[in-house]
Amino acid sequence: MEITTVGLDLAKNIFQVHAVDGQGKRVLSKRLKRKSLLPFFANLGSCLVAMEATGSAHHWARELKKLGHEVRLISPQFVKPYRKGSKNDQNDAAAICEAAGRPDMHFVPVKTKEQQDIQAVHRIRQRLVGHRTAKANQTRGLLSEYGIIVPQGIRTLRNQLPFILEDADNGLSPLARELFSDLYHQILELDEKVASYDRKIKQIFRSSPVCQRLAQVEGVGPTIATAMIAAVGDGKCFKNGRQMAAWLGLVPGQNSSGDKRRLLSITKRGDRYLRTLLIHGARAVISNAAEKSDPRSVWLNGIKERRHRNVAAVALANKNARILWALLTSGEEYRFGT
């Protein structure tokens, strides 16, 4: 009974193991508690261990690699088609094991602790920005109930709130002024928290030569560069730049059959946060490209004239993603105007 492949269904405390031999025949199906997981694999011969790329997967992947096992992480969307019957731990582990043996399966690279540290900074900052936006929208909505309309934009709200609180003729009661003053100070507190994480990102950026090399691309700054490193590492998990752009959801979807090719809007698959950053960075480049004559700006202005501005932004984000992949995998410096 030689185990060659193990499908491991992760959880917080109870883990399901599904193991097969070289012929794909099941030889073991077992539930393990958290404290028994590493001792079980320590006593197991070196084999392929497959897991879904979900919570804690990268941690367990690093620990299993230390024990001499080959670890592969699979996106949950690619495991689902291989699950037979109802969803339960046994069927999930069997589906993971089956998916891991497919020759054309796409795998997720295991993140290092350093990558997870950078990603944690970005995730916390993203949540703080979301809280700040929600607080600003709540404040604007409550002000409208008192007949006070503030234009959209958190900067506008931040600038106008002090004048609204000082205006004695706008009809606000003392209690309402107290409430809006509290909301204003909450927004300022969130501003400071976001700024502190921006400083952490800049510190990471300054300490990384790779990030500084990526930031030479127009539309890429410290935030995008560090987020790219956290998401894809050295980029060698992708065969080419187009594959990484497809992973980011920046390529058109298809509804094709036979000789008829029909391209749809972008797929929006993969890392939404990184895709959003790349598109926002591209919008900043578009705003300054009208007066430039280098090949990159000429290409961008041509798209903007033929299509919508947003289409040009996505096209540039796609191009930047491919360039970033090339810089990561080759180690070369960026050549301006390409």
Side-chain angles (χ1 to χ4, degrees):
M1 187 180 69
E2 182 179 356
I3 294 176
T4 59
T5 306
V6 176
L8 178 60
D9 184 51
L10 299 175
K12 292 182 180 178
N13 298 309
I14 302 297
F15 301 81
Q16 182 69 37
V17 172
H18 181 94
V20 298
D21 59 15
Q23 285 72 42
K25 182 179 179 181
R26 186 183 71 177
V27 295
L28 178 66
S29 182
K30 186 176 183 179
R31 289 165 64 88
L32 296 172
K33 291 185 178 180
R34 185 182 185 89
K35 62 181 181 180
S36 304
L37 183 63
L38 291 180
F40 170 81
F41 280 100
N43 295 323
L44 195 66
S46 179
C47 62
L48 170 63
V49 183
M51 299 176 286
E52 286 184 316
T54 56
S56 74
H58 295 278
H59 162 72
W60 290 116
R62 291 193 297 267
E63 294 299 318
L64 293 175
K65 279 187 172 182
K66 293 178 184 178
L67 299 176
H69 299 289
E70 180 185 356
V71 182
R72 293 180 181 176
L73 301 183
I74 310 173
S75 177
Q77 63 179 333
F78 297 140
V79 173
K80 187 176 180 180
Y82 294 95
R83 186 174 64 230
K84 299 179 178 67
S86 302
K87 176 175 173 55
N88 54 51
D89 291 347
Q90 292 86 352
N91 289 342
D92 285 346
I96 295 170
C97 190
E98 177 69 21
R102 299 300 93 197
D104 57 347
M105 181 57 61
H106 296 290
F107 298 104
V108 178
V110 178
K111 285 184 171 59
T112 63
K113 285 187 177 181
E114 289 75 16
Q115 284 181 277
Q116 287 194 289
D117 290 343
I118 299 173
Q119 190 175 60
V121 172
H122 279 273
R123 292 294 180 264
I124 296 172
R125 180 189 178 277
Q126 181 185 16
R127 182 61 60 187
L128 288 171
V129 171
H131 288 331
R132 184 177 63 180
T133 302
K135 190 68 65 177
N137 290 339
Q138 181 187 41
T139 304
R140 189 182 293 107
L142 290 174
L143 283 171
S144 67
E145 297 295 329
Y146 292 90
I148 301 174
I149 305 300
V150 180
Q152 289 187 359
I154 190 168
R155 181 180 300 177
T156 304
L157 178 66
R158 191 188 298 114
N159 293 336
Q160 291 191 12
L161 260 178
F163 298 102
I164 293 172
L165 294 173
E166 294 174 1
D167 186 1
D169 300 326
N170 55 19
L172 290 179
S173 65
L175 177 59
R177 293 182 190 277
E178 181 181 348
L179 296 176
F180 287 118
S181 177
D182 184 46
L183 289 172
Y184 174 66
H185 286 94
Q186 290 182 34
I187 292 175
L188 293 182
E189 290 176 3
L190 288 170
D191 284 339
E192 179 56 35
K193 290 182 179 179
V194 172
S196 69
Y197 278 90
D198 286 337
R199 290 192 290 270
K200 292 181 188 295
I201 290 174
K202 290 180 180 179
Q203 183 179 359
I204 295 170
F205 173 78
R206 287 193 294 266
S207 63
S208 172
V210 178
C211 290
Q212 295 175 28
R213 188 156 45 83
L214 297 183
Q216 295 173 1
V217 181
E218 302 94 325
V220 177
T223 303
I224 295 178
T226 53
M228 182 67 70
I229 294 298
V232 304
D234 59 6
K236 293 181 179 178
C237 56
F238 301 105
K239 294 181 179 179
N240 49 50
R242 188 194 181 283
Q243 193 177 87
M244 191 172 84
W247 173 74
L248 287 169
L250 290 169
V251 300
Q254 288 194 42
N255 186 13
S256 305
S257 178
D259 294 331
K260 297 181 179 179
R261 295 186 61 210
R262 183 186 176 192
L263 299 181
L264 309 176
S265 58
I266 59 174
T267 61
K268 296 185 179 181
R269 296 173 62 181
D271 194 325
R272 177 186 298 180
Y273 175 71
L274 186 53
R275 180 177 64 251
T276 302
L277 290 178
L278 285 168
I279 292 176
H280 284 334
R283 288 197 176 105
V285 175
I286 291 175
S287 300
N288 300 318
E291 300 178 357
K292 297 182 179 180
S293 59
D294 58 279
R296 183 184 177 89
S297 298
V298 171
W299 167 79
L300 187 59
N301 291 328
I303 296 178
K304 189 171 61 173
E305 292 175 1
R306 298 191 305 269
R307 306 293 299 275
H308 193 274
R309 181 186 179 93
N310 288 340
V311 176
V314 173
L316 180 58
N318 187 323
K319 187 181 185 70
N320 281 348
R322 300 184 187 211
I323 293 174
L324 292 175
W325 174 86
L327 295 178
L328 283 172
T329 55
S330 67
E332 297 180 0
E333 296 290 330
Y334 174 64
R335 295 188 294 274
F336 178 77
T338 57

